[in-house]
Amino acid sequence: MEYNQLPKGFFKKNPLDQLSAANIAYFSITAGFDEDLENEVFDLARKKMDAQRLDKINREREEIPHLETGEDFVRFMRSDYDIVNRHMLCKRALTMQQIVIPPMLHRFCTSMQDMFIETAVYILAHAEQSYVEQLKTLYPKIRDPYAQSMTCLVFGIQKQEDTLPLLLAEYQRLQKEFPEENLGQGPLLAIYILYNKA
């Protein structure tokens, strides 16, 4: 991308927060499809988990392969499922994009539930181009500021260069309106990704 589309010295004046929710999500989204890494992390974590949590994880792992409709997925995504199972849930959803993504996008516009938003973003970051185009069209209807911030991150990960004006505007708006929550980091990280600086 051409640098003249950004204000002069943009990256120097706008450093990334390495511990922002956006950066953690980006790491999870990009590293999450490494099954060996996922298994190693789970094996380490399992040793410190109580039996009740392990039982819940295993029940959910039996349930995920049987989710058949988009509504099933949306309901599961909105439940209090264990984050350890997000990878498995998202991988399955991506094999059924035509069924899962339309109802998920519909709910995404109005959801204020962080767990649902993060799972949807994980799926959208790996989704087919047609769904990213739908997400762009729906952007003005997304109500939750956290969902807006994370959607901007999806645009970066999906290399949507045409969203740069939106990303710049949203970075400035979210920084100004939500300084404590650090929501400007979503669009900022997306800009870094588009310029291969992340």
Side-chain angles (χ1 to χ4, degrees):
M1 287 189 67
E2 294 175 30
Y3 281 94
N4 63 8
Q5 294 180 55
L6 289 175
K8 196 170 183 202
F10 180 82
F11 294 109
K12 203 169 193 176
K13 292 175 189 166
N14 300 282
L16 279 176
D17 175 357
Q18 298 302 319
L19 294 175
S20 71
N23 227 335
I24 292 164
Y26 179 53
F27 173 78
S28 175
I29 288 164
T30 51
F33 271 68
D34 182 335
E35 214 149 312
D36 293 337
L37 178 65
E38 190 81 17
N39 290 333
E40 277 184 49
V41 170
F42 180 62
D43 286 342
L44 286 171
R46 183 196 329 243
K47 294 168 185 160
K48 297 188 185 224
M49 286 181 194
D50 61 55
Q52 201 175 355
R53 183 175 177 198
L54 270 173
D55 187 46
K56 182 178 190 277
I57 289 167
N58 290 328
R59 278 197 318 273
E60 290 171 358
R61 287 186 171 184
E62 287 172 19
E63 187 182 346
I64 290 169
H66 299 289
L67 300 173
E68 291 299 332
T69 68
E71 288 70 28
D72 288 344
F73 274 89
V74 168
R75 193 169 27 258
F76 192 92
M77 288 166 68
R78 289 174 51 78
S79 74
D80 187 27
Y81 77 90
D82 197 290
I83 195 163
V84 164
N85 289 326
R86 180 177 287 162
H87 169 76
M88 182 182 186
L89 177 66
C90 293
K91 273 185 96 168
R92 174 139 168 83
L94 286 166
T95 67
M96 305 167 63
Q97 292 185 44
Q98 289 177 307
I99 294 164
V100 175
I101 295 181
M104 184 189 81
L105 278 175
H106 178 73
R107 180 58 72 140
F108 186 72
C109 290
T110 57
S111 182
M112 298 195 158
Q113 188 183 18
D114 288 358
M115 187 80 158
F116 177 84
I117 290 166
E118 289 161 4
T119 306
V121 162
Y122 195 113
I123 292 166
L124 291 163
H126 296 283
E128 293 169 9
Q129 185 63 36
S130 61
Y131 297 114
V132 181
E133 293 300 325
Q134 285 179 41
L135 186 60
K136 285 188 213 172
T137 305
L138 289 170
Y139 190 82
K141 294 181 179 174
I142 298 171
R143 292 185 197 163
D144 186 69
Y146 181 58
Q148 293 166 348
S149 176
M150 288 303 190
T151 299
C152 290
L153 178 60
V154 170
F155 294 150
I157 292 169
Q158 286 275 11
K159 299 290 187 183
Q160 302 301 300
E161 295 184 3
D162 61 320
T163 64
L164 182 62
L166 170 75
L167 296 175
L168 281 165
E170 287 296 82
Y171 170 54
Q172 289 162 350
R173 179 182 73 83
L174 291 168
Q175 277 288 88
K176 189 176 164 193
E177 291 180 17
F178 304 97
E180 297 298 311
E181 292 91 337
N182 226 355
L183 296 182
Q185 289 292 308
L188 180 63
L189 178 53
I191 295 166
Y192 269 76
I193 294 165
L194 287 179
Y195 283 88
N196 297 314
K197 295 212 167 258

